[in-house]
Amino acid sequence: ITEAARQFAIATCHKYGNVPFIGVTFLLQHLKSEFFQYAKVNMPIKMRAITKELKLAKDKSWNYVDMEITVYQENIEISRVST
């Protein structure tokens, strides 16, 4: 779940923050994971990201983002990951 949330955060930056796919290096400064119950391996999960802090580059793409990702399974919050 932690690795999926990390990849989700990067994908969010590309999709909504106009961060290019080539020539960009992502630097993860911190990652905090909280787990509230076990995930069922054979059931899908949903993720929701909320931006807590955002800084823009000169070209208006995201230069820095701090987000909280909530992970749900069967509509129950099972984990929270902060970047």
Side-chain angles (χ1 to χ4, degrees), residues 12-13 15 39 47-48 54 57 68 75 83:
T12 301
C13 292
K15 176 74 176 173
M47 294 187 182
R48 180 189 68 179
L54 180 65
E68 181 179 272
N75 297 320
T83 66

Side-chain angles (χ1 to χ4, degrees), residues 1 3-4 12 22 33 39 42 45 48-49 53 57 60 62-63 68-69 73 80:
I1 289 176
E3 174 61 15
T12 301
I22 299 172
S33 298
N42 60 343
I45 61 172
R48 180 189 68 179
E53 185 179 353
K60 304 294 185 202
W62 292 2
N63 190 35
E68 181 179 272
I69 299 167
Q73 192 171 59
R80 193 174 301 138

Side-chain angles (χ1 to χ4, degrees), residues 13-60:
C13 292
H14 287 303
K15 176 74 176 173
Y16 300 104
N18 297 317
V19 176
F21 289 98
I22 299 172
V24 175
T25 301
F26 282 89
L27 176 63
L28 187 61
Q29 293 180 326
H30 69 275
L31 186 73
K32 177 185 171 189
S33 298
E34 298 175 87
F35 299 95
F36 308 117
Q37 70 179 50
Y38 289 105
K40 299 171 186 168
V41 178
N42 60 343
M43 297 295 294
I45 61 172
K46 293 185 237 177
M47 294 187 182
R48 180 189 68 179
I50 297 175
T51 303
K52 297 293 187 178
E53 185 179 353
L54 180 65
K55 295 178 184 175
L56 300 177
K58 291 179 183 177
D59 65 357
K60 304 294 185 202

